[in-house]
Amino acid sequence: MEINLLDILHDTTVDGPGFRTAVYCAGCAHHCPGCHNPQSWPFEAGKPTAVEDILEEILSDPFADVTFSGGDPFYQAEAFTALAHLIHTRSQKNIWCYTGFCYEQLVSHPTHKALLEQIDVLVDGPFIASLKDESLIFRGSSNQRIINVRESLLQATIIPYDLHIFSPFMKISPQKV
C-alpha cells in the first residue's frame, strides 16, 4: 500500500505538542483560500511511497510523535489507516491528524471512521481566512477544533483535546466545540 507523499519533516513543533514527525501527503480538494500549503492541493504533486518505508522513517526517531497533514490525509484514508495501525503496533507514539473535513462528516463514513479509530487527536475543519487567529495554538482559524478522538468515539459526542495536558503554563485560547 502506498501514500502519495509530499514530504516528511522531522522534529517539527508546529503540528502538535512536542517534537513531531510530520507526514505531508499530496491531494486536497478543499482549496481553502489562504491555505498555508496550496502546493499540496494537486493529487499528482506527491511521490507514491510505500507505507512500510514511511513507517521506518517515523520509527527512526524514537522521541518524536507523529502528525498526518497535507493535503488532506482523509483523501488517502485506507493507506493512512494502515500506517497509523502499524505505528501503534510498533511504538507508543501518539498521532495527530489535520483535515479540512469536519468530524461529523468523517465519523459517518466507514473508511474515514476507520482512520479516526487509529488517530489520537484530530484538528478538523477548513481554514477560513476571515476567522484566522494567530494567537491560536496548533490551528489557523477559530472554526477549527482540536478533538480528542478516542474519547469522542467512546462518548459519541465531540470531546475537545485538553491542551493543558501538554503544558499547564501555556496561554491557550478556549476553543469552541
Side-chain angles (χ1 to χ4, degrees), residues 14-151:
V14 297
D15 296 315
F19 289 109
R20 308 193 72 79
T21 300
V23 178
Y24 289 92
C25 66
C28 184
H30 301 295
H31 295 190
C32 302
C35 172
H36 78 283
N37 201 10
Q39 66 274 20
S40 70
W41 293 354
F43 286 87
E44 66 280 357
K47 176 184 175 190
T49 307
V51 164
E52 294 79 13
D53 293 341
I54 297 169
L55 175 68
E56 291 308 316
E57 187 158 349
I58 289 168
L59 295 178
S60 73
D61 186 340
F63 303 108
D65 286 313
V66 181
T67 299
F68 298 158
S69 193
D72 193 320
F74 281 90
Y75 286 108
Q76 300 182 61
E78 290 180 13
F80 273 100
T81 300
L83 177 59
H85 176 74
L86 289 170
I87 291 167
H88 284 309
T89 300
R90 305 251 322 260
S91 75
Q92 297 296 314
K93 297 176 182 294
N94 72 51
I95 301 171
W96 279 45
C97 184
Y98 284 79
T99 183
F101 292 103
C102 291
Y103 177 88
E104 296 83 355
Q105 295 169 290
L106 298 172
V107 76
S108 65
H109 187 282
T111 304
H112 293 161
K113 187 175 180 188
L115 177 52
L116 281 176
E117 291 170 346
Q118 294 295 319
I119 62 176
D120 301 295
V121 177
L122 181 75
V123 182
D124 81 333
F127 172 75
I128 299 175
S130 64
L131 299 176
K132 180 179 180 177
D133 183 344
E134 293 182 12
S135 72
L136 298 172
I137 188 167
F138 305 133
R139 57 197 172 120
S141 57
S142 61
N143 63 297
Q144 295 172 313
R145 302 171 294 185
I146 304 174
I147 298 171
N148 180 328
V149 177
R150 297 193 186 280
E151 284 301 312

Side-chain angles (χ1 to χ4, degrees), residues 1-6 8 46-54:
M1 187 168 286
E2 294 180 328
I3 289 175
N4 199 12
L5 184 68
L6 275 179
I8 297 177
K47 176 184 175 190
T49 307
V51 164
E52 294 79 13
D53 293 341
I54 297 169

